[in-house]
Amino acid sequence: MQLEITKRARRNLDSIGEHYYRIGGSALARKMIARIKEPFQQLLNFPYSAPVYKYKPTLRCLVVADGLFIIFYRIEQAVIEIVHIRRAEQDLL
């Protein structure tokens, strides 16, 4: 399995990092991004471990960082594609 992060998901990570940088500086921003990325290895080892997203069945959603964020991803052949990352309390995808 291979993991790819879409441009949209990279922009999501950039925005999240900028937000935490503004409220707590670079150390907090790095910590939050690391907490979001931490489960990426889990996805490589267990790509079907997260449930299917009920509003868009082609996606799976993984709750990370103690419930603060949701990673939306799809599995295409041997590729796990991270398509969107958002705060858990935001509106639905």
Side-chain angles (χ1 to χ4, degrees):
M1 266 300 158
Q2 173 181 319
L3 187 104
E4 292 182 1
I5 304 173
T6 64
K7 288 181 183 179
R8 178 182 185 189
R10 288 185 193 282
R11 286 193 307 267
N12 297 149
L13 284 172
D14 289 344
S15 294
I16 292 165
E18 289 169 9
H19 169 75
Y20 282 102
Y21 179 80
R22 283 192 304 275
I23 65 171
S26 61
L28 179 60
R30 283 192 306 272
K31 178 181 177 181
M32 292 310 294
I33 296 301
R35 289 182 68 196
I36 292 168
K37 288 182 169 183
E38 186 177 298
F40 286 4
Q41 186 61 46
Q42 172 193 338
L43 287 179
L44 287 169
N45 294 328
F46 305 101
Y48 296 96
S49 62
V52 171
Y53 185 50
K54 67 181 177 181
Y55 299 107
K56 193 166 185 177
T58 59
L59 296 179
R60 292 181 172 268
C61 55
L62 181 65
V63 178
V64 299
D66 297 322
L68 292 175
F69 295 93
I70 301 173
I71 296 173
F72 294 90
Y73 69 97
R74 70 173 54 96
I75 302 167
E76 303 263 342
Q77 298 175 17
V79 177
I80 298 167
E81 184 180 45
I82 308 292
V83 296
H84 183 53
I85 302 166
R86 68 170 177 86
R87 288 197 55 91
E89 75 272 2
Q90 287 179 316
D91 291 335
L92 299 174
L93 181 69

